[in-house]
Amino acid sequence: MIEVKNLTKRYGQNLALDRVSFKIEEGTIVGFLGPNGAGKSTTMNIITGYLSATSGEVTVSGKNTLEEPNEVKKQIGYLPEQPPLYMDMTVKEYLNFMYDLKKTKLPREEHIKEICRLVKIENVYNRLIGNLSKGYKQRVGIAQALIGNPPVLILDEPTVGLDPKQIIEIRTLIKNLGRNHTVILSSHILPEVQAVCERILVINNGRIVADGATDTLAHDLSPDHRLILRAEGPEKEMVHALQNVPGVVDTYSLGEKEKGVYEISVESTPDNDIRRDVFALMARKGWPMVALRNTDLTLEDLFLQLTSSDAAQLPQQKAAGLDPDQDLEFDSDLAPEKDEETEKGEEE
């Protein structure tokens, strides 16, 4: 559906994107995660055709953004971080205006009515956009992205500035939209990405530093895979028995935590989920389990590790199949700095 190849964007001497590449299959919701200034919006603007790339290419449904820009734009509905709304228009006027602007050929009244029902703005259809709450303005922004029924939706920070109730409502809406659309959701809010997305792309300093399924990415990139087991039973026997579970590489006791209850560390190989075997063993032996937790990185840990420093990125980049030896020192998507002559001229 969407393929990005070696996308590079420069603003003067500043490198905003450095050879970014990824593919997004049809019918998936992908979270584009990264700190402010990482290159998320720049990438999305290039995919939509709003910005041109310095080098590289983007194809949507097999159509190149440079060679067939109008055809690509028909495939995409875009909600920028600041929704492109006209505050002196009513919702009705605005959506009809966008219908004409996009040269939509679907039945006008039926199509707009269905979109309003989907994003739940029927009750504000005749109100001025300028008088709506932030949440309703976001919904109207999403509605304009849906006009023409594009197969791809690109949503840049769709919940920024919303209250908790509005955030939950927008997340639910995005999940529903994912049933019939390919969705790219840009955010730096981790719970939002976890709640909505099936796959995560992490970008930092203009490079993709991680790519994987939402529920396994942190596990896959964790440096070790360890369970901490708390159970009641004979300490040495439990340690010895757990050592023989398939996939286990090391076990040792962390000591007695309460009378007769011991905590045991169980380390496994990365490609083995040993929890079922551990449960079965403890049940078979009659050793009651009090607790079981893993020590893999959380998504928050992963995000901080990938974006806090270049040194922390290196093992993660190797795990993600990226080249850690490439130069990582450049500024993110900022406008080019003024040179000394320009600054002197302004002062004069």
Side-chain angles (χ1 to χ4, degrees):
M1 171 59 74
I2 300 172
E3 185 170 4
V4 175
K5 292 183 181 178
N6 297 317
L7 203 60
T8 298
K9 178 64 177 178
R10 289 184 178 274
Y11 294 100
Q13 297 301 312
N14 296 316
L15 189 58
L17 296 177
D18 185 19
R19 292 163 289 177
V20 168
S21 297
F22 58 86
K23 291 182 182 179
I24 296 176
E25 301 300 328
E26 184 176 356
T28 57
I29 304 179
V30 177
F32 205 31
L33 190 64
N36 290 328
K40 301 189 302 296
S41 294
T42 299
T43 304
M44 298 171 98
N45 283 330
I46 292 174
I47 293 173
T48 62
Y50 182 73
L51 284 179
S52 61
T54 304
S55 63
E57 65 176 15
V58 177
T59 57
V60 179
S61 298
K63 295 176 171 51
N64 189 288
T65 54
L66 289 178
E67 296 172 0
E68 301 177 87
N70 290 334
E71 291 302 313
V72 169
K73 288 172 184 176
K74 290 178 183 178
Q75 304 287 316
I76 296 174
Y78 181 40
L79 174 68
E81 186 173 349
Q82 297 296 328
L85 306 178
Y86 294 95
M87 300 302 166
D88 57 348
M89 284 185 174
T90 64
V91 174
K92 177 181 178 180
E93 291 169 340
Y94 175 69
L95 293 181
N96 276 275
F97 168 69
M98 295 304 295
Y99 179 96
D100 293 332
L101 193 64
K102 293 185 177 186
K103 299 179 180 178
T104 306
K105 296 181 180 179
L106 296 170
R108 180 188 296 264
E109 289 189 18
E110 182 180 336
H111 181 51
I112 293 177
K113 183 178 179 180
E114 174 60 21
I115 289 173
C116 290
R117 183 198 63 77
L118 186 63
V119 301
K120 294 183 171 59
I121 56 173
E122 305 104 315
N123 58 329
V124 297
Y125 188 58
N126 292 302
R127 289 181 57 184
L128 281 174
I129 293 174
N131 294 336
L132 299 180
S133 68
K134 174 72 172 175
Y136 271 114
K137 287 175 182 174
Q138 288 293 90
R139 288 175 181 273
V140 175
I142 294 173
Q144 65 80 25
L146 287 168
I147 287 178
N149 196 28
V152 177
L153 293 176
I154 297 181
L155 311 177
D156 193 357
E157 303 283 1
T159 62
V160 66
L162 303 186
D163 64 39
K165 183 175 182 295
Q166 293 169 333
I167 288 174
I168 292 171
E169 290 173 346
I170 295 297
R171 285 178 186 170
T172 302
L173 172 60
I174 293 169
K175 274 188 173 181
N176 292 334
L177 292 174
R179 297 171 184 169
N180 300 305
H181 301 268
T182 299
V183 181
I184 303 178
L185 168 66
S186 167
S187 181
H188 59 273
I189 303 172
L190 301 178
E192 181 173 288
V193 173
Q194 282 185 297
V196 175
C197 302
E198 305 160 29
R199 174 183 166 198
I200 295 175
L201 291 165
V202 183
I203 188 170
N204 189 44
N205 288 335
R207 287 186 175 180
I208 302 295
V209 293
D211 179 2
T214 306
D215 55 353
T216 62
L217 182 62
H219 173 82
D220 293 342
L221 296 184
S222 290
D224 59 38
H225 302 276
R226 193 182 306 271
L227 294 175
I228 304 299
L229 168 70
R230 186 174 290 195
E232 182 179 349
E235 180 183 17
K236 291 183 180 179
E237 287 184 38
M238 288 192 295
V239 171
H240 178 72
L242 288 165
Q243 182 67 57
N244 293 320
V245 171
V248 170
V249 296
D250 189 29
T251 60
Y252 56 88
S253 175
L254 299 173
E256 190 175 28
K257 299 306 175 181
E258 53 186 281
K259 186 173 178 58
V261 176
Y262 296 89
E263 204 162 73
I264 301 171
S265 171
V266 185
E267 184 179 350
S268 65
T269 54
D271 56 347
N272 275 295
D273 185 349
I274 62 171
R275 290 173 297 177
R276 287 184 176 84
D277 290 338
V278 168
F279 273 111
L281 169 69
M282 302 306 282
R284 190 168 61 250
K285 293 287 189 178
W287 297 329
M289 288 179 55
V290 178
L292 181 68
R293 70 180 190 276
N294 68 54
T295 60
D296 289 345
L297 293 172
T298 64
L299 185 57
E300 185 176 77
D301 294 332
L302 176 66
F303 179 79
L304 292 174
Q305 193 167 2
L306 290 171
T307 61
S308 60
S309 67
D310 292 345
Q313 291 173 18
L314 299 183
Q316 310 300 347
Q317 289 175 320
K318 289 178 181 178
L322 303 170
D323 181 3
D325 296 322
Q326 296 171 348
D327 180 20
L328 289 176
E329 296 184 1
F330 51 79
D331 294 328
S332 54
D333 49 344
L334 304 172
E337 297 178 357
K338 299 172 183 175
D339 57 32
E340 293 182 2
E341 292 183 3
T342 303
E343 289 180 346
K344 287 179 182 178
E346 288 184 353
E347 288 175 1
E348 293 173 1

